[in-house]
Structures are given as structure tokens and as C-alpha cells.
Amino acid sequence: MIKTPICDLLGIEYPIFQGGMAWIADASLAAAVSNGGGLGLIAAMNADANWLREQIHAVRGLTDKPFGVNVMLMSPFADEVAKVVAEERVPVVVTGAGNPSKYMKDWLAAGIRVIPVVASVAMAKLIARHGASAVIAEGGESGGHVGDLTTLVLVPQVVDAVDVPVIAAGGIGDGRGVAAAFMLGAQGVQLGTRFLTANECNVHPNYKQKVLKAKDLSTMVTGKRLGHPVRSLRNPYTLNYAKSEYSSMPDEELEALGGGALRRAAVEGDEKNGCFLAGQIAAVVNREQPAAEIIRELFSEAETVLKGAGTWVK
Ligand code: TUI
């Protein structure tokens, strides 16, 4: 049985978080993951306060286990979303895509455990000083908004730099990845792409199929020109965006190309005009399963791997 201090800190059975995937991670998926013994997250993404409040109430109706909300800091609604999580006293807030320091005081005063995603050592140190309970070190193998460093390189450096527990994210999709994260010094893992194909995930079926069919080179990163690189599955939309990015198209037009693309993928399953965010590890995700089964399988595989880890040492 793999148990780490993060389990006691948050009151969860397995040290695993479900990634806060925009337009995908709703109350249904979050509750399934929490009921399976992990930490389920609702993605506040670009939604407003009312939508989030409804989702928080929905998840509370589906589970009595701890859950969290992922606050995407680039969202135009970040301020109102930050207020809702404090008012609702959600057990855990995970932040992404920026620096959450300005919200930390209010969240900590509301008794919330704040666990920011970081993509650098500097951000990890800063946020630990502001009272984060743990940090999620996310490598650029992940889907969605990506930093420059890989998980293999980022995680041990963050582990060395801060005194709080580190959760590894990016490029983890099976028990081998979970085992590797623990070997790097992480106390837990966060997986997005693997949970996207959970039975309880309400994303459009076309999206699940695209992840299930993905191969090693199926993802690409676009958006560097505007400063917000995102990893997604290669399709007519991303190829056109990439071409435009290297053309003389004005920034405003390029920005307009991005608008609504995540929704078209996740809600409409629009294969041509949607942006299907996914991590590189989509290549090893090959079946739909209940979330609880995913969690059990990941940790049983990880235990086997860790027990055999000394095999080659003579
Ligand atoms: O946030 C994510 N993944 C995301 S957010 C998202 S929605 C979106 N839509 C369009 C454009 C961009 C995003 C889709 N996927 N992951 C967590 C994450 N956070 N990865 C990297 C970071 C990060 C990066 C910089 C965290 C902190 C940071 O600090 C920079 C600074 O100094 O503010």
C-alpha cells in the first residue's frame, strides 16, 4: 500500500489528484475520483461564479469525501471564482497558469489547503513562502498550458527547493509513471489525460476516442507567440493555428482563432475546429474505465514496479 503524508494532510486514501481539465473536469468526474479514494477537482476554467457554485453543490451531493477546485488564474473570472471558493470553504484549491499569491491570504483564512501548480523552482519557493500546503510540479509533457521543463528535470529540483510536499504532474499515465514520480521524491501524482477517458467523465465521446487513438507523436505545442503555449492533439485546427502563428497575422486575429476552441472540442466534439488538449502520455491511455478502477490499477502497478526496482542492482 502506497501512503504518503499528503494522504493524511488531505484525508484521502491514495496520493493522487485528478487534473483540473477545462470544460471537462465537472462535478461528475471529481466525485468519481474522490469516491475512488483520490482527490477529484472541478475545473473553474473560464466559467463564472454561478456555474462554479452549482458544481460545488453538485459534488457535495455526490460524495462526502474531500474534493478540490482548480482555479485557472488567466481566467477573466479569476477574482469572482476566488471569492466563491472561499465562501464555499472548499477543502482544497489547486491553481494553474500563473501566480496565486494575491488570493492566498483570503483562502488560508477560510481554512482552505492551497496547492498551486508550478512550472519552475522560483515559483515553487515563492508560493511555499506564502503558505501553500504543497506544490504540484508540472512538466511540459502535460496537456494544456505548458512550461519549459520536463517532469523528470523539474520534480527533483522542486523537491530540493521547498519543505512542503511535492506532487508530480505531466507525462504520468500508468503505474510506471506513478512509481517514477515517487523515485524523484514526489509524495503524490496528478493525472489529467488518463482520467479524461474515465467512464464518469462527461467530455464528448469524440474527444475520448481521439485520446484513446493517440500515438507517441500525436500532440504538439502551439501558442508560444502570444506567450501561452498549450499542448493539444494535432488536427486541422492546431495545424492551421501553427501556420498562422508563423505568418504575419496580427496578434488580435491570432487570439480570435483561439477563442472557443476548447469548448468546441470538449462539448461539441468538433474534430476540425476544436482544440483537443491532451498530454503526451495519451499514447499509453487505451481504454475507458471507471475512475476508481483507474486509481486501484495505477497503484497496484506502481507497487509492483517499486518492489522490482532493485532488480538490476548487484
Ligand atoms: O494550467 C494548466 N493547464 C491549463 S490551463 C488551460 S486554459 C488555457 N486556455 C488557453 C490558453 C491558456 C490556458 C489549459 N490547460 N496547468 C498548470 C500549469 N501552470 N502549467 C504551467 C503553469 C504555470 C506557469 C507559469 C504556473 C505558474 C506560472 O507562473 C508564471 C508567473 O510568473 O506568473
Side-chain angles (χ1 to χ4, degrees):
M1 180 104 195
I2 298 174
K3 269 220 178 290
T4 69
I6 202 87
C7 296
D8 294 329
L9 183 78
L10 304 179
I12 56 179
E13 198 183 336
Y14 295 92
I16 181 167
F17 293 12
Q18 158 244 314
M21 300 167 280
W23 289 105
I24 298 174
D26 61 5
S28 162
L29 180 60
V33 171
S34 289
N35 283 330
L39 187 79
L41 296 179
I42 298 165
M45 48 148 186
N46 287 332
D48 63 15
N50 287 336
W51 180 89
L52 179 60
R53 213 183 280 278
E54 277 168 25
Q55 291 291 311
I56 292 171
H57 294 171
V59 83
R60 286 196 160 122
L62 293 167
T63 184
D64 53 7
K65 302 266 171 64
F67 67 95
V69 169
N70 180 293
V71 177
M72 211 279 278
L73 296 162
M74 275 167 33
S75 162
F77 299 104
D79 285 351
E80 60 181 81
V81 154
K83 229 185 253 167
V84 172
V85 296
E87 282 165 12
E88 293 285 336
R89 296 182 186 273
V90 304
V92 181
V93 165
V94 168
T95 65
N99 179 351
S101 338
K102 71 169 171 171
Y103 302 120
M104 296 285 289
K105 218 170 83 207
D106 286 350
W107 288 342
L108 296 176
I112 295 172
R113 299 266 181 213
V114 186
I115 308 186
V117 173
V118 299
S120 70
V121 170
M123 183 59 73
K125 281 182 163 168
L126 183 142
I127 219 63
R129 275 202 309 276
H130 277 83
S133 291
V135 295
I136 302 174
E138 183 179 284
E141 298 94 321
S142 71
H145 186 63
V146 289
D148 278 334
L149 297 172
T150 62
T151 303
L152 193 66
V153 167
L154 178 66
V155 172
Q157 293 188 69
V158 174
V159 166
D160 286 347
V162 297
D163 289 331
V164 294
V166 177
I167 315 291
I172 305 173
D174 63 15
R176 294 168 295 185
V178 173
F182 289 121
M183 289 204 158
L184 297 175
Q187 288 194 18
V189 289
Q190 175 172 280
L191 282 68
T193 306
R194 177 80 189 257
F195 283 118
L196 191 149
T197 64
N199 292 132
E200 299 90 344
C201 177
N202 291 320
V203 72
H204 195 283
N206 291 354
Y207 204 139
K208 283 192 186 178
Q209 283 310 311
K210 288 178 86 67
V211 168
L212 293 170
K213 286 196 198 126
K215 299 205 167 53
D216 53 353
L217 299 177
S218 293
T219 74
M220 65 189 286
V221 174
T222 53
K224 279 198 175 146
R225 192 176 114 192
L226 296 181
H228 307 302
V230 297
R231 181 180 298 285
S232 58
L233 295 169
R234 202 182 293 273
N235 73 345
Y237 169 83
T238 46
L239 291 170
N240 177 51
Y241 189 100
K243 218 168 83 192
S244 311
E245 202 168 16
Y246 290 100
S247 75
S248 55
M249 181 184 278
D251 282 359
E252 305 78 60
E253 261 180 67
L254 195 58
E255 207 151 351
L257 262 188
L262 301 185
R263 205 193 78 85
R264 286 197 294 275
V267 180
E268 292 164 22
D270 185 339
E271 314 241 11
K272 285 209 178 77
N273 307 302
C275 181
F276 294 79
L277 302 181
Q280 290 184 315
I281 205 67
V284 311
V285 177
N286 51 27
R287 66 194 189 284
E288 254 187 280
Q289 287 167 287
E293 189 181 298
I294 293 176
I295 296 172
R296 281 195 303 273
E297 190 176 292
L298 286 168
F299 281 87
S300 134
E301 275 174 20
E303 264 180 49
T304 307
V305 170
L306 289 167
K307 280 180 187 147
T311 306
W312 304 104
V313 182
K314 297 281 182 252

